[in-house]
Amino acid sequence: MKKGIFAAILGSVFLFTAHAKADINAAQADAFVRKVANEGIEEIINANVSQSVKQQRFEKLFNEALDLDFIGQFVLGRYWKTATPEQRKAFIKVYRELNIKTWSARFDEFKGKSFVFNGSTPSTSKNQIFINSTVAMDQGEPAKVVWRVKQTGSNFKIVDIIIENVSLAITARNEYTAFIKNNGGNIDALIADLQKKVNAPVKPAGK
Amino acid sequence: MIKKAFLFSIFSLTLLFTTSCATSQSQTDQHEHEDTLESFNRAMFTFNYNVDKYVLKPVAKGYRAITTPDVRTRVYSAYLNIKEPMFAANQLLQGEFKQSGISLSRFVINSTLGLAGTFDVATAWGLEQKKDDFETTLAKWCVPDGPYIVLPFIGPSTPRAFAGLMVDSFASPVYWLTNDHDDGIYAYGAYIAAKSIIIREASLELGDDLERNSVDFYTTMKSAYLQNKTDMPNCFNDTQTNAAYDFDFGIEDEEQTFDEMEAE
C-alpha cells in the first residue's frame, strides 16, 4: 500500500517535471497567432492605405512575428556550418527581404479572407507548438494553414508556416541546399541569386 | 482502352517495386527527398514546363478572362460532381460503406436537383463531400509510394499515384459515356483538357509566385508535391498526424550563435 502511494507520488512528480520541461503556453501561443493574423488582415490587407504604407506595416509585423534568424539557420541546412559569419548575415538579410517582398505582392489575394482557428497540436520539439487554422479559398475546400510557434521566456515567434502539409521551412531548405550543391557548394551564388530576385521589379502575380 | 490503361497500371506498379528495391538509403539530409531518377525527372520537368508555358497557362488565362468568378465556381463544382462516383467506388474498396453511400447520393442529388452538379445541394442537406481516390485506397492497402517521377503531361507523380490515376479514370461517368462510341476517345480527351484548364486556372498566382521566388523550381515543385501528400493514410495508422512537418530544427543554442555572429 505504502509502496503504491510512493509510486503514485513519484509518478506525479515525474509527470509534472516532464510536462514542465516541454512547456509552452498553448493558450498564449494561440492568442499570439490570432493577433498576428488579425493584424495582418485588418491593419494591412483590408486597410484603406497606400501600398507603400501597407508594405511598411507588413515589414514591421513580419520582423516582430517571425524568428527569421532561427528559420534561416535551418534553411541553409548543412551549409550553415561551413558559411562564414558574413555569409550567414548576408543570407539572413536577403532571405528576409525576399520573404517580405513575396508576401507583400500577394496582399490582394487575401482581401476579405479570414482565418478560422481550430486549436493546437503539440510538437516533439521543446517549447514549440502547432496552431491549426483554415482559410477559405475561392474554389474548393478551405486550405489548411498550420503555424509553428516557439516560446522563449514570455516571447512568442513563428518559426514555420505549413500550408496544406507543405512546410515553408522544409521547402526552402530543399531548394536552397539543392541550389548550393548544384553550384559546387558556393553559398555566395545563392545569396547573389536571391538578391537578384529581391531587386527585380514587382510584378503582380497571375499577370 | 481498358486494356491499355490496365497495362499502364501494371507497368507502373512493377516500376514501383523494382525501383523501390533498388533504392539505397544514402540520405545525407533527413529532410531531403530521395530522387533516384533525377536526371530523367529534370528533363521531363523542363518538357512539362514548356507545355505549360506555351499551351496550358495561356489557355487557363484565357478561360479566366472570359468567365466571372461565379461561373468558374459553378464549373468547378460540376467538375467535382463528375468525380463523385469515383469517390464512392474507392470508399467502397476502403470499407467505408456509409461514406460510399453518401458520395453516391451526392452524385444523384447534385446531378439532378443541383443542375448537373453546378450547385452543391447535397452539402446543404448534410451530405458532406469526402474525396477519396485510388491512390488513397492503395495507401490503405499498404502499397508503398515508390520513387518520385515526373511524367510527361501529368507532372509530379509516383508509381502509386500514377496507378491510382489510371484506375480512377474507369470510375468516371465521362469514361462510361464515351467508352462505347467510336469517337469516344476524342470526347474523353476533351474532358481531360477541360479538367486541366479548370485546375490550372485555380493555381495561376501560386504557380507564378513559386516560380518567381524559386532558385531551383524543379526542387521546389518536388518538395511541395511530396510534402503535400504526406497526409495520406497508411496501412498502420489511419489518423493523420503532424509528424511529417514536426521536424527537429536541430538548432540548440541559436541565441548564442547569433550573439557570436553579432559580436564579430
Side-chain angles (χ1 to χ4, degrees), chain A residues 26-204:
Chain A
Q28 279 180 23
D30 190 84
F32 163 73
V33 174
R34 279 173 199 254
K35 193 178 146 272
V36 170
N38 191 50
E39 196 179 326
I41 288 175
E42 294 304 321
E43 287 168 41
I44 298 171
I45 292 169
N46 292 343
N48 199 11
V49 291
S50 71
Q51 177 70 18
S52 63
V53 174
K54 281 185 183 184
Q55 204 154 333
Q56 276 169 15
R57 287 183 188 177
F58 178 71
E59 200 171 329
K60 189 167 167 284
L61 178 71
F62 184 90
N63 288 332
E64 283 170 4
L66 275 93
D67 192 344
L68 220 67
D69 291 340
F70 188 76
I71 304 167
Q73 186 174 345
F74 172 75
V75 154
L76 266 196
R78 58 179 172 279
Y79 297 106
W80 179 262
K81 282 204 184 87
T82 56
T84 65
E86 290 75 31
Q87 284 176 324
R88 290 177 178 182
K89 235 185 219 174
F91 171 72
I92 298 281
K93 181 171 172 283
V94 76
Y95 184 54
R96 183 186 299 278
E97 285 170 0
L98 183 63
N99 266 291
I100 290 170
K101 185 184 171 185
T102 307
W103 292 98
S104 304
R106 303 190 65 183
F107 287 161
D108 284 350
E109 281 172 60
F110 290 92
K111 236 180 194 151
K113 301 232 161 105
S114 62
F115 289 95
V116 178
F117 286 91
N118 332 303
S120 62
T121 319
S123 165
T124 51
S125 296
K126 215 173 90 184
N127 299 328
Q128 293 185 21
I129 197 166
F130 294 97
I131 305 297
N132 303 313
S133 71
T134 54
V135 60
M137 293 278 103
D138 292 337
Q139 284 167 5
E141 290 166 20
K144 203 176 100 188
V145 180
V146 180
W147 315 70
R148 186 171 187 162
V149 177
K150 180 166 81 82
Q151 182 176 4
T152 315
S154 58
N155 193 9
F156 291 90
K157 292 271 190 191
I158 295 165
V159 291
D160 195 10
I161 299 173
I162 299 110
I163 303 165
E164 288 291 312
N165 292 311
V166 180
S167 149
L168 297 184
I170 289 187
T171 311
R173 180 179 169 119
N174 287 160
E175 190 192 317
Y176 293 169
T177 52
F179 183 90
I180 297 172
K181 203 170 110 193
N182 292 333
N183 281 275
N186 187 355
I187 298 164
D188 288 327
L190 175 71
I191 296 169
D193 206 82
L194 292 174
Q195 190 62 54
K196 223 165 56 196
K197 290 183 190 301
V198 169
N199 297 344
V202 181
K203 254 200 327 184

